[in-house]
Amino acid sequence: MATNDGEEIPEPKVGLSRAEKSHVKGGTRLRAVVVYEIIRTEGEGELGRTFPALWWSGLAAGISIGFSFLTEAVLAAHLPDFEWKDIIAKLGYAVGFLIVILGRQQLFTENTLTAVLPVITRRSLNWFLGMLRLWTIVLVANVVGCLIFAFAVSNTQMFSPEVTTELHAIEQAVMMNTPWQMFIKGIGAGWIIAALVWMMPSSEGAEFVVIGLMTYLIALCGFTHVVAGSAEALFGVLTGDITLSKAAFGFFLPTLAGNVFGGTVLFAVLSYAQVRTEIKE
């Protein structure tokens, strides 16, 4: 094509170049079925891990998650007493989860989704028993890790009286919930952790922000998490604030039920429902 003065005008491009097509593919979000398959495949790998691997990873996670409890208390102890104090201090709740998830340690509530998807897909008794095995090992290891952390915090003089006071305040605030409230709030925490696991394959380098924001939401909403809360409840038991019976029946069991219901019965089943016609079983 030429203008009136004879200058050639380039013809417009038709279609996309190879480089442009590559950009399009790179900018496309992962389909739900792809996310499902990523998490399911990871879950199958976790179900095949040996007892020692699961135990020591779960134990490390139980100790690490205690830093959510501790960091929140340290922030609260160093902040001035003003209206926004709790909102800022609760940012510390994300620290333990960041250590656990980025460190690839075994946390029970992650497995309410990761280990469940293979079972839903395979629909086999052996896979179901494998899931129960993983859940049992990881949950017990997590609680033992929390006990080690709570013992270290309550029986040493590592922290100032101000930090210790805040540790008690956090634990007492959690234990003010009734068992029913523990269960209902546990559903919220179970859903958020399962949603976090679902979001991770699409995070693309933003894992730190995603983990931080989602777990901060648990603290901000006052939801109950069976592992992070175990560090708090066991601290209360070891310092004489509450009885072991109160910790077990008033916190642990109802929160465990809520976390499993929120992460498995609701999130995992709904996640499967949205992709079941697209997956090859």
Side-chain angles (χ1 to χ4, degrees):
M1 182 183 298
T3 61
N4 292 335
D5 57 5
E7 184 180 352
E8 290 292 326
I9 300 176
E11 293 291 333
K13 285 185 177 181
V14 178
L16 299 176
S17 68
R18 182 176 298 177
E20 289 170 331
K21 289 179 180 179
S22 177
H23 284 304
V24 170
K25 289 182 180 179
T28 302
R29 292 190 306 167
L30 293 178
R31 292 168 55 215
V33 67
V34 176
V35 175
Y36 181 94
E37 287 297 322
I38 290 172
I39 298 172
R40 182 189 63 80
T41 302
E42 182 179 350
E44 290 184 357
E46 296 297 333
L47 288 169
R49 295 183 71 185
T50 63
F51 175 87
L54 291 172
W55 173 263
W56 293 114
S57 183
L59 186 70
I63 296 172
S64 296
I65 205 70
F67 284 92
S68 287
F69 176 34
L70 177 61
T71 308
E72 184 179 343
V74 171
L75 284 175
H78 287 84
L79 287 170
D81 192 12
F82 62 102
E83 186 179 356
W84 297 86
K85 175 181 176 179
D86 286 346
I87 294 176
I88 297 175
K90 289 183 184 300
L91 287 168
Y93 189 80
V95 170
F97 289 92
L98 286 165
I99 298 172
V100 169
I101 298 173
L102 295 181
R104 304 294 295 173
Q105 297 169 355
Q106 284 282 350
L107 188 66
F108 171 76
T109 46
E110 282 189 88
N111 286 308
T112 57
L113 178 66
T114 306
V116 170
L117 295 190
V119 177
I120 295 176
T121 304
R122 303 287 184 175
R123 301 174 190 173
S124 163
L125 177 61
N126 287 337
W127 285 93
F128 178 73
L129 294 176
M131 180 194 73
L132 293 182
R133 166 186 171 272
L134 183 146
W135 276 8
T136 302
I137 296 170
V138 172
L139 182 58
V140 173
N142 285 169
V143 173
V144 172
C146 288
L147 178 60
I148 294 171
F149 183 89
F151 181 84
V153 171
S154 61
N155 287 275
T156 62
Q157 297 181 342
M158 287 188 289
F159 307 107
S160 66
E162 290 79 12
V163 172
T164 302
T165 298
E166 294 295 342
L167 288 169
H168 283 284
I170 293 169
E171 167 259 310
Q172 290 165 4
V174 171
M175 296 309 300
M176 284 178 62
N177 290 298
T178 66
W180 174 248
Q181 289 173 319
M182 295 288 193
F183 172 74
I184 294 297
K185 293 180 179 182
I187 294 175
W191 178 278
I192 289 176
I193 293 297
L196 169 58
V197 173
W198 188 266
M199 293 164 65
M200 288 297 285
S202 303
S203 296
E204 298 180 352
E207 292 87 354
F208 186 95
V209 176
V210 172
I211 297 167
L213 287 177
M214 294 296 283
T215 53
Y216 174 55
L217 184 60
I218 293 175
L220 198 61
C221 295
F223 293 149
T224 52
H225 186 275
V226 69
V227 183
S230 288
E232 299 163 0
L234 289 169
F235 173 82
V237 172
L238 293 173
T239 56
D241 284 351
I242 59 173
T243 63
L244 182 59
S245 175
K246 172 72 172 176
F249 297 103
F251 163 76
F252 185 82
L253 292 178
T255 301
L256 173 63
N259 287 172
V260 171
F261 186 82
T264 299
V265 179
L266 291 182
F267 198 97
V269 171
L270 291 176
S271 297
Y272 174 75
Q274 69 170 316
V275 302
R276 66 186 180 86
T277 58
E278 302 177 72
I279 60 177
K280 183 178 180 181
E281 301 184 9

